[in-house]
């Protein structure tokens, strides 16, 4: 692959710069939603339950409590619909997959914040 082709390839598959985050962190994912002909950005704020995959297929799952019901949503890292990711809090957890949060509610479902 020559230099010109490489440059065009990098421009088309531009990787967005997201902050470094891990499971247990509280993030806001601003996601583009297309309704009819209109496009808007909606925020989804919650705790990162897991990060899985590598490269172009890598995804992360965010969990939030909405009206007393747990809602989980998986986002691809390199989706063109992910507008931005904002790191709100850094959590203090000892494992990489936080599936145990699904069985918890109330105060026991909270994640301690890491002191900086």
């Amino acid at each position: 692959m020559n230099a010109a082709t490489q440059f065009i390839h990098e421009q088309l598959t531009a990787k967005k710069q997201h902050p470094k985050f891990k499971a247990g962190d509280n993030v806001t994912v601003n996601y583009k939603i297309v309704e009819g002909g209109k496009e808007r950005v909606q925020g989804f704020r919650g705790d990162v339950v897991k990060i899985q995959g590598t490269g172009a297929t890598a995804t992360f799952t965010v969990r939030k409590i909405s009206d007393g019901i747990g809602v989980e949503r998986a986002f691809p890292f390199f989706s063109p619909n992910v507008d931005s990711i904002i790191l709100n809090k850094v959590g203090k957890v000892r494992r990489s997959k936080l599936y145990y949060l699904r069985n918890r509610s109330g105060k026991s479902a909270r994640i301690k914040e890491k002191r900086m």
Side-chain angles (χ1 to χ4, degrees):
M1 210 187 299
N2 65 1
T5 325
Q6 181 113 21
F7 176 75
I8 291 168
H9 182 71
E10 284 172 14
Q11 292 300 316
L12 290 173
T13 60
K15 288 186 169 64
K16 291 200 180 100
Q17 291 300 313
H18 298 309
K20 285 267 185 240
F21 61 91
K22 59 186 186 355
D25 294 352
N26 188 285
V27 295
T28 303
V29 182
N30 292 317
Y31 200 73
K32 285 185 197 140
I33 292 173
V34 178
E35 289 174 332
K38 287 185 284 211
E39 193 177 272
R40 65 185 175 88
V41 176
Q42 180 174 317
F44 189 92
R45 180 176 178 161
D47 296 318
V48 178
V49 174
K50 67 176 173 174
I51 295 175
Q52 72 176 25
T54 56
T57 60
T59 62
F60 61 100
T61 304
V62 180
R63 179 182 177 82
K64 75 172 181 177
I65 306 296
S66 180
D67 293 324
I69 297 168
V71 179
E72 281 187 18
R73 187 160 178 193
F75 296 97
F77 270 100
F78 302 116
S79 167
N81 292 334
V82 173
D83 192 47
S84 64
I85 301 171
I86 301 159
L87 182 63
N88 302 319
K89 290 181 188 169
V90 179
K92 184 181 172 189
V93 292
R94 293 170 64 167
R95 54 196 71 242
S96 60
K97 306 275 196 281
L98 306 179
Y99 297 136
Y100 67 89
L101 290 176
R102 293 172 179 168
N103 306 324
R104 305 240 175 134
S105 63
K107 283 190 177 181
S108 66
R110 289 192 300 194
I111 297 172
K112 280 198 181 120
E113 189 174 355
K114 186 183 273 186
R115 293 256 194 86
M116 291 298 177

